[in-house]
Amino acid sequence: MCDYSLMHVKSRPASVGDKLRTSNFGTGTRGFAAPSDPGTAVCVLPGTELAFNSEITVYGASAPTRYKTAIFRQINRDQPHMHHDALELPDGQTLLLTFLCEGQEATVLQLPASTIGNRPDLTAPSTALESIRISSKLVWISACHEFAGSSAIFV
């Protein structure tokens, strides 16, 4: 899926094996694009598994995360004018995609599984996060080692 702020940007669905890059589309959000077509947003389904070329880096963080893999999620779906696209890290932490530093490259490893006539709800947070109201867990972190003066939100 693509975040609501990308609805006026040319887009296409992600496929297994796609090479993606975090990109700024000039709409107030960042998302994924193919390096060969930076003007087209690549929309990722919730539950899609991604592998990054290096540790995932977020604006405002003092260091990259220690993870290179993540599962794409959508959060805060009941709040229409908030960013929904997020990455769930192996430790259960969820990061809004729009706060990832630009230029990070990832590969689509696997699309979400579906069953005939019964598709699981992949927009829901993982079991580790079910007891946490995600929208109330915003934390500001400043002093990014790469982007001095910027801020990031971790969910």
Side-chain angles (χ1 to χ4, degrees), residues 81-151:
H81 299 292
M82 289 187 69
H83 294 288
H84 305 295
D85 292 355
L87 298 177
E88 181 182 345
L89 301 179
D91 66 359
Q93 181 180 28
T94 303
L95 309 172
L96 285 171
L97 180 60
T98 196
F99 292 108
L100 266 60
C101 294
E102 281 183 67
Q104 295 181 80
E105 296 189 351
T107 301
V108 176
L109 295 179
Q110 182 174 319
L111 297 175
S114 64
T115 57
I116 297 173
N118 186 16
R119 188 173 186 98
D121 180 8
L122 297 173
T123 62
S126 71
T127 304
L129 296 176
E130 285 176 3
S131 63
I132 299 172
R133 173 105 174 110
I134 293 173
S135 62
S136 68
K137 288 295 189 182
L138 299 178
V139 179
W140 287 94
I141 299 176
S142 60
C144 180
H145 69 285
E146 294 179 352
F147 303 93
S150 64
S151 298

Side-chain angles (χ1 to χ4, degrees), residues 37-71:
D37 189 7
T40 300
V42 178
C43 300
V44 180
L45 289 172
T48 298
E49 296 179 30
L50 302 166
F52 285 77
N53 291 354
S54 59
E55 287 83 10
I56 299 167
T57 305
V58 179
Y59 280 108
S62 59
T65 69
R66 62 179 195 247
Y67 302 108
K68 292 183 178 183
T69 60
I71 298 174

Side-chain angles (χ1 to χ4, degrees), residues 71-82:
I71 298 174
F72 184 84
R73 301 286 187 206
Q74 286 207 321
I75 61 171
N76 301 320
R77 296 287 309 224
D78 59 331
Q79 299 174 15
H81 299 292
M82 289 187 69

